């Protein structure tokens, strides 16, 4: 892995954490958003598989 890729991953993780914290401070639950995002990623990866 290159240093550039690791740096971008850390940068993205910090932004996601900051937005989640901001939403929590506003009173919005981020748990359902994170769950929906995870399930959406799984569904997209399964949809992209080849059918044999």
């Amino acid at each position: 892995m290159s240093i550039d890729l690791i740096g971008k991953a850390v940068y993205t993780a910090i932004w996601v954490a900051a937005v989640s914290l901001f939403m929590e401070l506003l009173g919005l639950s981020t748990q359902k958003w994170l769950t929906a995002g995870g399930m959406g990623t799984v569904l997209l990866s399964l949809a992209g598989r080849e059918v044999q």
Side-chain angles (χ1 to χ4, degrees):
M1 287 183 139
S2 68
I3 299 296
D4 187 43
L5 180 63
I6 295 171
K8 286 181 182 179
V10 170
Y11 182 77
T12 303
I14 290 171
W15 270 105
V16 168
V19 169
S20 296
L21 179 62
F22 185 69
M23 287 176 62
E24 287 284 342
L25 290 174
L26 290 176
L28 302 171
S29 175
T30 57
Q31 183 67 36
K32 61 183 171 186
W33 292 104
L34 292 174
T35 303
M39 289 173 54
T41 303
V42 170
L43 290 175
L44 281 176
S45 64
L46 289 175
R49 292 183 62 189
E50 288 186 29
V51 178
Q52 294 183 10

